[in-house]
Amino acid sequence: MEALNEFCRSEIHALRQEGRYREFCTLERQGRRFPFATIALDGQAREVVVWSSNDYLAMGSGDTAVAAGITALETHGVGAGGTRNISGTTRYHVDLERELAALHRKEAALLFGSGYIANVSALSCILGTFGGAWHVFSDEKNHASMIAGMRRSRSARRSIFRHNDLAHLKELLGTAPEGVRKLIAFESVYSMDGDFAPIREIIGLAREFGAITYLDEVHAVGLYGDEGGGLAQREGVEQDIDIIQGTLAKGFGAQGGYVASSASFIDYVRSYASDFIFTTAIAPPIAAAALSSVRFLRSADGVRLRARHQERAQHVRTLLRDAGLPVMPTATHIVPVRVGDADRCRAVAWHMLAEENIYVTPINYPTVPRGSEIIRITPTPAHTDEMASHLAGALQRAFGMNA
Ligand code: PLP
């Protein structure tokens, strides 16, 4: 054990030297008052405004999800009490899977403990257990969970195409030998660059080369499309995507992940994927809260909330750009501010917290490449004009600009 401890200390030391050691900030969200949260700084409790949450629509603290969670908590208790097979399936799980299938206009959906596990499980299931030789084409900016799922298959060949580069994807597709099964794995919204995938064009290439499409809609579900089904829904191409993967932890403000696809595929994953079979089902109060969020966001209330969310993101983007800050020009709800240096990025975030009572997350390597460090800002419908103006001024000061 001493040798292992020594190894761990030296690796952590190297991380510190590189300025990449992660310190977690303990935030206590103020329930319905989100984006306000309390943190303890130098032993003092302080109220801060959170500008870096993936609870993009503030659904996690909204009346709908909270009330549904409390009711299920009182009815079912805290935990599911077993795997889905061993007494862990409640009506919330069943109804939620049906709702998610309907949301994506697919035949069936399957819940997992997280979006990460959903990706690992579904991709490794396809590439590892379904027969034949596989060649998978993966966007270079795909999330770690997709990469982990693809890597689990020892036999599948993996080609990485340059981010959103259709010509490169086409060139690589052309290299696959006759008879090989092909799969294109990509995201709809890339959460660090804040850009969209050219989804229609990728579908076109998949058709041309006979490839299956696997789309991670983690940063789009709840947020785009007439019912919050994601970018494929907004673009009217849900039927052309073979497998849609999503999370309940971001736009829906809860926890858990899922895949939605054909009934046969979902039944197969349900029956063979070890990450699904041998783990406790998600907690019933969480499933109930997620279910109420999905239903809310499919309704006219959801349409209004999405419009407000987009308006907020646009407002903040314009404000920061007009303030002369290095905002990356995105069309999504994500507003990345370029810093380009790990130490500086942490210093900016620290200034924001200590001096301005604003919580923003510094994003460093390996989440983004070295030299591409950003402060990632995610406006929610709950952020006011006043908060946005304060953010712009505070960032100017943190960047050493004359406000
Ligand atoms: N896919 C993408 C693109 C992500 O960014 C994330 C997490 O941030 C995940 C999957 C994992 O989702 P979850 O947080 O539900 O595990």
Side-chain angles (χ1 to χ4, degrees):
M1 191 63 203
E2 196 32 53
L4 177 60
N5 285 337
E6 186 47 44
F7 168 80
C8 295
R9 281 192 291 268
S10 101
E11 290 295 304
I12 293 294
H13 178 71
L15 274 187
R16 284 191 194 277
Q17 293 292 101
E18 283 182 51
R20 290 201 290 123
Y21 183 69
R22 293 177 181 206
E23 311 264 8
F24 297 151
C25 179
T26 309
L27 283 169
E28 207 174 305
R29 278 171 57 146
Q30 294 183 7
R32 308 284 215 283
R33 290 192 65 235
F34 181 78
F36 287 108
T38 308
I39 62 156
L41 214 58
D42 302 329
Q44 299 278 317
R46 284 209 200 182
E47 184 173 88
V48 297
V49 174
V50 177
W51 274 102
S52 284
S53 172
N54 282 341
D55 184 358
Y56 293 127
L57 297 171
M59 289 298 291
S61 49
D63 292 342
T64 315
V66 172
I70 289 173
T71 305
L73 188 63
E74 283 169 351
T75 318
H76 277 266
V78 179
T83 64
R84 289 292 296 275
N85 192 39
I86 305 178
S87 81
T89 298
T90 67
R91 75 182 156 84
Y92 301 117
H93 297 90
V94 175
D95 289 351
L96 180 53
E97 285 175 340
R98 281 204 191 111
E99 194 72 29
L100 290 167
L103 169 70
H104 292 295
R105 293 152 197 166
K106 295 285 179 205
E107 289 172 0
L110 191 68
L111 288 171
F112 293 85
S114 71
Y116 189 104
I117 299 169
N119 268 336
V120 171
S121 194
L123 282 165
S124 62
C125 213
I126 302 167
L127 304 174
T129 63
F130 184 60
W134 278 95
H135 193 152
V136 53
F137 301 86
S138 172
D139 189 287
E140 70 175 328
K141 296 224 165 152
N142 274 343
H143 189 253
S145 53
M146 281 204 265
I147 296 166
M150 292 182 268
R151 279 196 179 147
R152 256 211 210 161
S153 160
R154 280 190 222 104
S155 57
R157 200 173 146 206
R158 192 158 58 99
S159 292
I160 296 161
F161 59 95
R162 285 189 293 273
H163 178 53
N164 278 348
D165 187 332
L166 294 164
H168 194 211
L169 172 59
K170 184 168 183 170
E171 184 190 321
L172 292 174
L173 279 163
T175 65
E178 251 335 92
V180 157
R181 297 185 201 278
K182 303 177 207 69
L183 181 140
I184 304 175
F186 63 117
E187 299 180 23
S188 56
V189 171
Y190 289 86
S191 67
M192 296 302 149
D193 292 6
D195 55 349
F196 292 118
I199 192 163
R200 281 176 175 280
E201 291 78 359
I202 291 180
I203 289 168
L205 286 176
R207 283 228 183 92
E208 188 181 336
F209 289 89
I212 286 179
T213 42
Y214 182 100
L215 180 62
D216 175 320
E217 289 258 35
V218 159
H219 295 277
V221 287
L223 313 179
Y224 298 95
D226 52 357
E227 295 185 358
L231 191 67
Q233 185 171 91
R234 191 187 81 175
E235 300 295 302
V237 294
E238 280 169 310
Q239 293 311 319
D240 302 309
I241 296 289
D242 297 301
I243 300 157
I244 292 181
Q245 180 271 356
T247 186
L248 303 168
K250 303 189 195 298
F252 297 126
Q255 177 95 47
Y258 63 91
V259 287
S261 185
S262 66
S264 322
F265 176 70
I266 294 300
D267 203 21
Y268 176 78
V269 178
R270 190 184 69 83
S271 309
Y272 281 92
S274 116
D275 316 67
F276 172 80
I277 298 171
F278 299 107
T279 187
T280 301
I282 61 171
I286 294 294
L291 176 60
S292 71
S293 271
V294 177
R295 285 185 174 152
F296 179 90
L297 290 171
R298 292 186 73 193
S299 73
D301 288 327
V303 174
R304 281 190 286 277
L305 197 63
R306 277 188 288 282
R308 160 97 181 151
H309 180 222
Q310 291 298 319
E311 181 278 323
R312 289 289 81 189
Q314 189 50 44
H315 176 70
V316 170
R317 196 178 356 258
T318 307
L319 210 61
L320 300 193
R321 195 196 54 213
D322 291 353
L325 287 154
V327 185
M328 290 160 62
T330 57
T332 61
H333 59 285
I334 296 160
V335 183
V337 179
R338 187 174 276 119
V339 182
D341 176 83
D343 287 335
R344 183 149 190 252
C345 203
R346 274 188 322 180
V348 168
W350 177 249
H351 171 96
M352 297 293 279
L353 193 63
E355 307 295 330
E356 312 282 356
N357 293 328
I358 288 176
Y359 174 80
V360 288
T361 312
I363 308 282
N364 289 342
Y365 177 82
T367 310
V368 292
R370 286 189 178 88
S372 301
E373 290 80 2
I374 54 168
I375 296 288
R376 181 174 178 270
I377 291 167
T378 51
T380 73
H383 287 98
T384 62
D385 282 352
E386 197 188 346
M387 289 173 188
S389 301
H390 179 211
L391 174 75
L395 276 171
Q396 284 182 316
R397 291 186 283 279
F399 275 78
M401 298 160 66
N402 292 329

